[in-house]
Amino acid sequence: MFVQLLRAIYVPQNVYCIHVDEKAPKKHKTAVQTLVNCFENVFIASKRKKVAYTGFTRLQADINCMRDLVHSKFQWNYVINLCGQDFPIKTNKEIIHYLRSKWNDKNITPGVIQPANIKLKTSQSRPEFSPEENICVSPNTRFKYEAPHNLTIYFGSAYYVLTRKFVEFILTDIRAKDMLQWSKGIRSPEHHYWVTLNRLKDAPGATPNAGWEGNVRAVKCRHEEGNVHDGCKGHYVQDTCVYGLGDLPWIIQSPSLFAHKFEPSADPLVVRCLERRHRWAVLRQADVPAEPHWHFPQQSHFNMDLN
């Protein structure tokens, strides 16, 4: 899945920071390192964490990569975070067009202020507990401490598109640093951290009045059946749909840049179909004539016994 994802999103003018979970087997780390060594603009994060996906370590892993990207020799304008179970719906050219035409140097952090009935009360926060990613989560109902600097806490997507100036801001601003420390005591802080800081009026590229707009990730959550989507054609894992072949029409019609969640071990044809569709779109949009070796080899997925 990692190879297919990198192959789909790779272009030589971008730069890619890969965070490999410190808990990963040595064989897996070696395989990723071997692949990364083939590209000058792809590297593994200098600091790696044992990630618990509802805990602070997931947020810290993103920030570690951002720090490496800021100090790298490569020039870049936006950072987009992906996980190993994502896949692009749009091509790199389409993503750039969307960012320039719809957002114009603004950050995309879909989310809203915490619901009015949720109050910041002193309570024991929940520890990191889940080895599985869950992006269809609810807001924290209680926080252990009041937020620093009287920040108004928002709840939103863990996925984002951030400008370079905003990344530099979160790495240096005292409010961002203090909120990062505060985030160590809450569940799934990545659903609060980015969207809250992007609502600060003086933050670079901020969108103080934004809501859920911003088509970053197409996800089917169980509680949105019949409203946002027509049900999961694969299976649910912690209320998030792992796509099946029947979900492909919905994914393809989505305006989002990427889709989540894929598990090739469950149904390898889902990613394979999307990968081929994505490759054809890239080749159609190419500014130079396509060379034969850019195409995937033709494969048949049917075994026929003619004897």
Side-chain angles (χ1 to χ4, degrees), residues 200-211:
L200 295 174
K201 293 182 179 180
D202 62 328
T207 54
N209 301 315

Side-chain angles (χ1 to χ4, degrees), residues 84-127:
Q85 292 173 303
D86 294 338
F87 202 80
I89 306 175
K90 302 294 188 288
T91 66
N92 188 74
K93 181 175 287 188
E94 291 168 337
I95 291 172
I96 291 173
H97 176 75
Y98 175 72
L99 296 180
R100 288 177 175 173
S101 62
K102 300 291 185 181
W103 292 90
N104 193 24
D105 293 329
K106 298 292 185 181
N107 307 303
I108 308 177
T109 57
V112 294
I113 195 170
Q114 288 269 67
N117 62 327
I118 295 179
K119 298 180 180 179
L120 306 183
K121 297 181 179 179
T122 301
S123 171
Q124 184 62 43
S125 62
R126 296 177 64 179

